[in-house]
Amino acid sequence: MSKPLEFFFDFGSPTAFLAFKRLPALVERTGAQVTYTPILLGGLFKAVGNQPPATVPNKGKWLFEDLQRWAAKYETPFKFNPNFPVNTLPLMRGACAMQLDEPTRFLEYCEACFNGMWVDIMNLNDMGEIGKLLQTKGFDAQALAQRIGDSEVKEVLKSNTARAAELGLFGAPTFLVDGELHWGQDRMDWVEAALQR
């Protein structure tokens, strides 16, 4: 019997990128029913008093070296984006809008944003670059740019982020299985074990 798995993510997290790339294989092995929950990582950090690891210079240097090792292990293309950190508010609102309006293309949107950030190394702080990315992937960038300003979409992202804080999250990616939180792409073996219990 398959279990529900909730995946909390933000496109600005390189570890969320690696986890997102590994999720399809995990789902294939376990039959998990995945709910993808976009959050605003900066908002979560503020709510719970956390900060990005890269704000500590030595830790930031180590983190990106470690990410290169993980990416090589799983044969996932990955490059450090020199525009990091990126304000992902428009991108994450876009994810919420896609879930509401075009759910069948939601994962395609996520793939485009994650790849734009961590494979193609686009400056996704720039709305023009976001528009270019979405246009090349066949999305209506202009309609989406308007939609992310709607109160309905804003409220979904706020609500997702507030709920994440209430559940005890402090970063992304985080996985929720049977009420248990598992933080980080390097805990996916534990996620799989929880799904198979």
Side-chain angles (χ1 to χ4, degrees), residues 3-4 6 8-9 19 36 39 41 44 69 72 93 97 105 110 124 131 136 140 143 168 171 190 193 197:
K3 287 188 178 182
E6 189 166 7
F8 296 85
F9 70 97
Y36 292 82
I39 61 171
L41 193 51
L44 178 64
R69 295 185 193 107
R93 283 183 181 167
R105 296 196 71 194
C110 292
L124 299 183
T136 61
D140 186 337
W190 298 352
R197 276 203 297 265

Side-chain angles (χ1 to χ4, degrees), residues 61-77:
K61 180 178 183 296
W62 170 86
L63 173 66
F64 282 100
E65 290 173 357
D66 193 57
L67 286 167
Q68 294 287 359
R69 295 185 193 107
W70 281 105
K73 177 178 173 66
Y74 294 107
E75 299 179 345
T76 301

Side-chain angles (χ1 to χ4, degrees), residues 69-88:
R69 295 185 193 107
W70 281 105
K73 177 178 173 66
Y74 294 107
E75 299 179 345
T76 301
F78 169 79
K79 297 174 192 167
F80 173 66
N81 192 322
N83 304 293
F84 183 85
V86 172
N87 176 7
T88 57

